[in-house]
Amino acid sequence: MRDDDHFATLDLPRRVDLARDVIERRYLERSREVHPDRFAAAPLSEQRAAMEAASRVNAAYRALRDPVRRAEHLCKLGGVDLDLTGPGGAPDPGQAFLIEMVELREDLEAASARGPAAVDALRERIEARARAAQDAAFAAIDRGSIAEAARALVNLRYLRRFVAEIDGDPLD
């Protein structure tokens, strides 16, 4: 088992369409199996190994409980780490998408001048685009197209960040 394969850590199939209760159940089962308290009387090396295993189980749960993070992890396992730049990292969103983002910023400026209802309408439009990007990413993963999924997930990140900025809560 690869230490960085969260699906293997929780003994789950590599799929984006996993039910949250299934993930939760496997997390609780694995947590009980590797909980450091079970190894309190064991040699230090076993205690350390249990702590590391518990840490991996917790990281796997955090990553897999959210469908978007799950899709991002599937991309990483497929060779595209969206948290990196350069070869093997996040793909460029493309000039057309970046131009669209500039236009959305201009739309936000105009909507802000018109008032809260206009800003809300713009937010709804961007949230709809984000849902479409998410759906496209999930569909691409189902088809086995990691590159296409990665592009859609990069776009989703931009769109989510933009919505967070509209709401006055910029993402880190």
Side-chain angles (χ1 to χ4, degrees), residues 14-19 23 70 74 138 141-142:
R14 285 185 178 180
R15 295 187 354 226
V16 75
D17 65 338
L18 294 172
I23 296 167
R70 194 177 319 135
L74 285 165
F138 293 176
I141 287 172
D142 287 344

Side-chain angles (χ1 to χ4, degrees), residues 85-159:
T85 57
D92 186 292
Q95 186 173 5
F97 181 80
L98 294 175
I99 289 170
E100 180 184 354
M101 293 305 298
V102 169
E103 290 170 353
L104 286 172
R105 291 203 178 280
E106 292 169 356
D107 291 349
L108 176 58
E109 189 174 314
S112 295
R114 289 192 311 273
V119 172
D120 288 344
L122 177 62
R123 179 189 306 100
E124 288 175 17
R125 194 172 102 211
I126 296 166
E127 287 173 342
R129 282 272 287 120
R131 284 189 300 277
Q134 179 175 314
D135 291 346
F138 293 176
I141 287 172
D142 287 344
R143 287 191 309 278
S145 178
I146 296 300
E148 186 181 338
R151 278 190 300 279
L153 289 166
V154 165
N155 292 356
L156 177 60
R157 284 183 172 187
Y158 273 89
L159 293 163

